[in-house]
Amino acid sequence: GGSIVRNGCRFSLVHATHTCYTGHVVGVILEMDGKTIYHMGDTGLAMDMKILPEFFRIDLAFVPIGDRYTMGPPSAARAVEWCGAKHAVPIHYNTWPPIEVDPQDFAKRLPKGVVKILKPGETIEV
């Protein structure tokens, strides 16, 4: 945990849950230009996500949805609710057979307009 500020950007490390044999797994919250982005990293659902809205107003979350090794669509949607993210982009899915999921399954579990499914090379503005 903890935060550092570099060049006007604040980086905060937050809890993540994932098998790791070296180092520590974390999520990263980036605050800059009045916006807050949460990259959950390779994590499963964790109760710590519930406390994040007490410290951050998350505009956008990058959420792993591939199920195996991370969260599946139901728990990923719950993570978005718990952390209070206004918008979410699904990540960590469909790169190889064990983590193939339909990102629409994630999107349909949240209010319309919350989830933005990006194609390779596509961008999103916060």
Side-chain angles (χ1 to χ4, degrees):
S3 301
I4 61 169
V5 177
R6 295 287 186 265
N7 300 322
C9 300
R10 181 178 178 204
F11 300 86
S12 301
L13 299 182
V14 296
H15 181 81
T17 304
H18 188 74
T19 303
C20 181
Y21 298 105
T22 61
H24 298 280
V25 295
V26 296
V28 177
I29 296 180
L30 169 64
E31 297 169 278
M32 61 183 270
D33 299 329
K35 300 294 182 178
T36 303
I37 299 169
Y38 176 22
H39 193 294
M40 293 184 182
D42 275 357
T43 189
L45 185 64
M47 294 295 288
D48 292 36
M49 294 171 177
K50 282 187 165 189
I51 199 170
L52 295 177
E54 292 186 32
F55 298 93
F56 306 97
R57 289 184 38 215
I58 300 169
D59 296 294
L60 175 65
F62 290 96
V63 187
I65 67 165
D67 203 15
R68 190 170 185 181
Y69 310 112
T70 62
M71 296 180 276
S75 49
R78 184 58 49 97
V80 172
E81 292 168 355
W82 285 358
C83 77
K86 295 176 192 163
H87 299 282
V89 171
I91 61 169
H92 201 292
Y93 70 98
N94 290 354
T95 55
W96 60 307
I99 60 171
E100 287 180 0
V101 299
D102 179 359
Q104 291 298 333
D105 185 27
F106 170 62
K108 75 179 183 185
R109 296 169 185 277
L110 292 163
K112 187 174 181 159
V114 170
V115 175
K116 173 67 174 169
I117 300 167
L118 298 177
K119 295 178 180 132
E122 195 173 6
T123 62
I124 186 170
E125 188 169 327
V126 180

